[in-house]
Amino acid sequence: ADGSLYELPQHFLHRGKISDFSHRLPTEAKQLSWDALKKTVDFIYLAQHGRYGEDGIIQGMLEVLNIPYLGTKVLGSAIGMDKAKQKELLAEAGVDVPRGITIQPNELAALSTEQLITALAAHNVALPVIVKPSHEGSSLGITVVNTPDQLVGAITLAATVDEANHQAVLVEEMLNGMEFVCVLLE
């Protein structure tokens, strides 16, 4: 998150997430500069998830440094992490997407349950709905809302899941079914 790079010692490799050992990095890992990264690696196998890993930021930095990497390039990564923009582009291309509304961060203060229910009804959406932040990965900030009194709290949670970067929130019809993923490598 702060742009620091570390070469991890072997005993960190079994850890599940950075928060398990981030407080130990300054004393137990070797800090690298971005310039030194180019001299340290030949190729990057990206396995980092979420913000800074799947949103085009690390991809852009690697391209600036001319370091080859595996995975989606900058634009595809940025669009893939922006659920609102991705949904808009898919709909324009004729792909069915869930019905719903997008709430912008500057609209949060004026939200009322009645206005939200009216806006959803205008898009033929009734409860239950899925509320999710536009720029997060995995299931961060996602809530299934079953009753009107849960709506504003769920939207606030999704918008502020990253306290430093308030973000747009999607409120969409709940779809039941199976999820399928298709990975394409070229």
Side-chain angles (χ1 to χ4, degrees):
D2 69 2
S4 298
L5 296 175
Y6 291 91
E7 184 177 324
L8 299 181
Q10 189 73 28
H11 65 274
F12 280 174
L13 297 182
H14 73 283
R15 303 290 181 176
K17 53 190 174 200
I18 192 79
S19 60
D20 292 341
F21 57 84
S22 60
H23 62 285
R24 295 168 48 195
L25 289 173
T27 57
E28 296 181 48
K30 177 183 173 188
Q31 187 163 10
L32 297 174
S33 69
W34 283 96
D35 290 331
L37 183 64
K38 177 117 178 106
K39 298 172 190 144
T40 306
V41 300
D42 298 315
F43 179 84
I44 300 286
Y45 181 98
L46 285 176
Q48 186 179 359
H49 294 285
R51 189 179 296 271
Y52 311 113
E54 293 177 292
D55 59 4
I57 291 176
I58 190 73
Q59 293 84 349
M61 196 62 191
L62 293 172
E63 288 187 15
V64 165
L65 294 170
N66 202 28
I67 298 173
Y69 60 92
L70 177 70
T72 306
K73 302 303 179 210
V74 176
L75 180 60
S77 295
I79 292 171
M81 276 297 277
D82 185 339
K83 294 175 189 73
K85 179 55 73 179
Q86 182 185 109
K87 182 177 175 179
E88 179 184 318
L89 293 172
L90 288 170
E92 287 175 7
V95 176
D96 287 337
V97 295
R99 293 182 307 235
I101 59 174
T102 301
I103 309 293
Q104 297 302 324
N106 62 334
E107 298 172 319
L108 288 174
L111 286 181
S112 78
T113 302
E114 295 76 25
Q115 291 171 320
L116 290 166
I117 295 296
T118 301
L120 288 168
H123 289 85
N124 295 318
V125 177
L127 298 177
V129 293
I130 303 294
V131 175
K132 59 187 172 186
S134 185
H135 290 87
E136 297 299 330
S138 301
S139 58
L140 289 175
I142 294 178
T143 305
V144 176
V145 172
N146 293 299
T147 62
D149 61 310
Q150 298 172 320
L151 206 46
V152 172
I155 292 169
T156 302
L157 170 69
T160 60
V161 71
D162 178 354
E163 293 177 16
N165 300 298
H166 291 185
Q167 59 191 292
V169 175
L170 285 79
V171 182
E172 299 175 328
E173 65 182 325
M174 188 163 132
L175 301 176
N176 293 311
M178 296 178 66
E179 178 179 341
F180 293 91
V181 176
C182 176
V183 176
L184 173 66
L185 296 176
E186 293 185 67

